Structure formats: structure tokens, C-alpha cells
Amino acid sequence: MTAQLPGGRPRPARSHVGAGLILAAVVLVSANLRPGASSVGPVLAELTDDLGMSQAAAGVLTALPGLCFGAVGALAVTLARRFGLSAVVAGGVAAVAFGLGARAFTGSAWVFLLASTVALGGMAVGNVLVPAWIKRHSGDGGVRLMTFYSTGLTLGGALGAALAAPVGGTTGAGWRAGLGVWGVLAVAALVPWALLAAGERHTLRLGRIPPRPSVGRISSSPTAVALTALFGIQSMNAYVQFGWLPQMYRDAGLSATSAGLLMSLLTALGIVGGLTMPTVIARSATLAPWMVAFGVLQISGWAGMLLAPGTVPWLWAVSLGLSGFAFPTAIALLTARSRSPQVTARLSGFVQPVGYALAATGPLAVGLIHEATGGWTFVLVLLMGSGVLMTLAGLRVSLPVHVDDELAHP
């Protein structure tokens, strides 16, 4: 049976795995869970022209990350119960490497879509299971490793978007190199995870998630529901920012270069959030002031885009970037609001698929509303309203309650 610490908490599995291997595995997998999605946008026009992809197929491609993160992520916990955490994460990384490599060489639009689905499915598995794996292999509740993990997510996504076009131009291979290079990084990540999966076979009970109990559905936890809302609303805003904020700036009279620089500023702030928020959560007596600040910053940023988008555009980018600290906060709360790795896995398997499904609707809705109204006013008012909802969800999550306790006393 799994060794336990006083109070019934599972003993971390660090004694079975070297600290260096753990750190390498977390850093590399976190860096691989976003570039395959974020690198497509900057070279979308080139790859659709080269593959003869229709506008409908291109629309499916842009919607795939949210769809795969939701649908495949929901299956991840079930797979981990059957095959073990490390083995399934390793399988997910292998799917990322295979999918990203295959789509870089194909000449078929439909094969490209299929390979993208495989890669994004692998990322979805990692999204859900890595927080639970960190919980199991941490002696500090996951604070240090979650700092590396959340920072790696943000940095990987930023680099995927920033380097896709330059890599393609430098190598002369165009979009194929700009997208395929991330498959090489995924192969590098596969090495530590393959070693971890091999070692897990000798400690199967430590690597598997027990069957779900007959009572205590995760959706019955108010904390889990509130965390899902926080995660989903923040992710929806992030998707809208990456998809539409540059166009909002350009419609306000800024150049494409200026809009790109402002998005880089917003993204850089996200990296700072990943580095700081797990420690802030661990050391703060209450998270309520932070949650209010995130909401106020989000509302202020969108209000600035409504009232004076071209006057001090950097201020609105900073405000929205700081409000994005809610994302690493939500990721860190997956471990902070659960005690056992089993509950962490169930919580992650609920929060992220549902949250990403909610987030995926944002850019589509913004596009439809903008086309129907011919402007950004109604869109920006709705986005300001989402800041109010995010604050309310955050205040509920800021209560020092563990999901384990809510499931034990439904």
C-alpha cells in the first residue's frame, strides 16, 4: 500500500525517483504543452495556401486546441487509473512528438488536421495529469514544481507564437520548420518521461489512481465548480486577447508592429505571474485581495480599450497582462485546494476540460458579435462583465477549503 504521513496524507514518491529527473521531466513537459497550438497562428496563411486548406478547414484548425483540451482531457484520469500516471503522461508526450512531426511533412490538409488532433490530444493528457503527478512527487505540496510548471506553460506558448515565423524564414523551410521544430523538443521531453514510466512499473500502486469512489462526485464540490469558472473565464479572456486584441489595437490606429509589441508585453507579464503566484498562494493568509485585483485589472484593461485604446495602449496591455496572473493562480490551486494526488487528478480532470470548453467559445463569440455589430463596443462591455464573474468565482476559491473535505461530506 502507499506509505502515508501523519494525518493520513500520502507520502510523496520522491524516494523512488531522483530529484533531478523529476525537475527535468516537469520543465520539459510544461514547455511542450502549448507551442504545438500557439505556433500555428503566425503561419496560418502560409500553411493554408500551401496545403490548399479551405476556410472551413482553417476554422476547424483554430478551434482544435480548445476542443481537444476539453474532450481528450476528460479521458485522461480514466487512462491513468488503468495504466498509471507516468505511463500515460509519457504516452501523451509521445503523441505530441508524433503529431507535430507528422504534420510538418504532410502535403494533405486532412492529414495535417488529424496529426494536429493527435498532438493536441497528447497535450490535453499532460494538462490534466501533470498537476496530479507533481502532487504525488512533491514534499512541499507542489509549490516549487508548480512554479516551474506554470512558468513553462506560459513561456512555451509565448515562444511557440514568437518563433514560428522566424524559424521558418531562417531555415528556408517556411511553416514546416516553424511548426516541426517543436516535435524535436517533444522528443527531448519523452526521454525523462519514458524513464519515469519504466520505474513506475516497479511501484504500480504509487503510479495509479484508485477507482473513483461511489460518492462525492467532483461536480458536487463548490470549490471545484468555482475553480472551473475562474479557470474558464480567465482562459476565455486569454484566447480573446491572443485572437482579437491585436486587431482591436490596429482598428484604433496602431501599426501591426506596435500591436505585436504590445502583445509581447502582455505575454511577458504572464511569465512573471507563473514564477510568482504559486509561492504567493502558499504564503498568503487569504487570496481574496488578489482575486479582487485580478478582476479590477481585467475590467480596467477592457474599459481602457473601449474608451481610449490608442491613447495609452501600453497601460491597457499591462492591465490585462497583470489580470492574467489569474491563470497560474488557477493552475497552482489544483494542488493547493486538494490533499491527495487522487483528488488532484479528479479536480484537474474536471476543471481543465470544462474550463477549456468554455474558453473555446470566447473567440468565436467575439468574432460573431463583431461582425454583427460592426464594432468592438458590445464585445468590450461583455468582456468587462466577465471580469465581475471571474472575481466572484475567485473569491469563492480563495476560501481555505479542500475539495477532499467537500467530497467526504457532500
Side-chain angles (χ1 to χ4, degrees), residues 33-372:
L33 297 182
R34 292 295 181 272
S38 65
S39 59
V40 170
V43 295
L44 182 61
E46 290 79 6
L47 75 87
T48 53
D49 287 343
D50 192 15
L51 298 178
M53 188 178 291
S54 67
Q55 287 300 305
V60 171
L61 177 61
T62 58
L64 271 181
L67 295 173
C68 289
F69 287 174
V72 180
L75 302 174
V77 176
T78 300
L79 293 172
R81 289 194 186 101
R82 175 67 178 84
F83 300 106
L85 278 170
S86 298
V88 176
V89 174
V93 175
V96 173
F98 175 80
L100 296 185
R103 74 180 187 178
F105 290 98
T106 184
S108 165
W110 294 110
V111 172
F112 186 95
L113 288 171
L114 179 60
S116 295
T117 301
V118 171
L120 291 166
M123 296 175 210
V125 168
N127 285 338
V128 170
L129 295 183
V130 172
W133 191 93
I134 288 174
K135 187 76 171 182
R136 187 180 294 280
H137 290 81
S138 297
D140 62 351
V143 175
R144 186 175 71 95
L145 289 177
M146 286 302 289
T147 300
F148 284 107
Y149 176 69
S150 58
T151 303
L153 288 178
T154 305
L155 184 60
L159 290 176
L163 297 180
V167 168
T170 301
T171 61
W175 65 267
R176 296 183 185 276
L179 300 186
V181 66
W182 301 109
V184 177
L185 181 63
V187 172
L190 184 58
V191 174
W193 283 99
L195 293 173
L196 290 168
E200 185 179 84
R201 288 199 293 268
H202 300 292
T203 54
L204 285 177
R205 288 186 179 274
L206 288 174
R208 293 191 176 178
I209 299 175
R212 181 178 302 179
S214 58
V215 296
R217 291 184 304 167
I218 198 74
S219 58
S220 69
S221 163
T223 299
V225 172
L227 184 54
T228 303
L230 173 66
F231 181 90
I233 294 171
Q234 197 290 317
S235 297
M236 181 270 292
N237 274 270
Y239 279 30
V240 169
Q241 288 162 19
F242 282 105
W244 291 106
L245 186 58
Q247 189 61 50
M248 294 180 187
Y249 275 127
R250 296 190 68 179
D251 287 351
L254 276 70
S255 68
T257 299
S258 296
L261 290 173
L262 289 167
M263 286 304 301
S264 297
L265 173 61
L266 188 153
T267 302
L269 289 171
I271 296 171
V272 175
L275 287 169
T276 57
M277 290 315 298
T279 301
V280 167
I281 291 171
R283 296 182 178 179
S284 296
T286 175
L287 295 179
W290 291 99
M291 298 301 182
V292 172
F294 297 152
V296 170
L297 286 164
Q298 182 172 297
I299 294 168
S300 299
W302 291 126
M305 292 300 299
L306 175 63
L307 301 175
T311 304
V312 279
W314 61 268
L315 181 59
W316 317 135
V318 168
S319 184
L320 292 172
L322 292 174
S323 75
F325 281 27
F327 174 74
T329 300
I331 290 292
L333 283 171
L334 293 172
T335 55
R337 288 295 178 263
S338 56
R339 289 195 178 94
S340 74
Q342 292 79 22
V343 173
T344 303
R346 293 180 60 195
L347 180 62
S348 184
F350 177 71
V351 168
Q352 296 200 65
V354 176
Y356 277 123
L358 171 63
T361 66
L364 175 61
V366 166
L368 292 174
I369 294 171
H370 177 59
E371 183 177 3

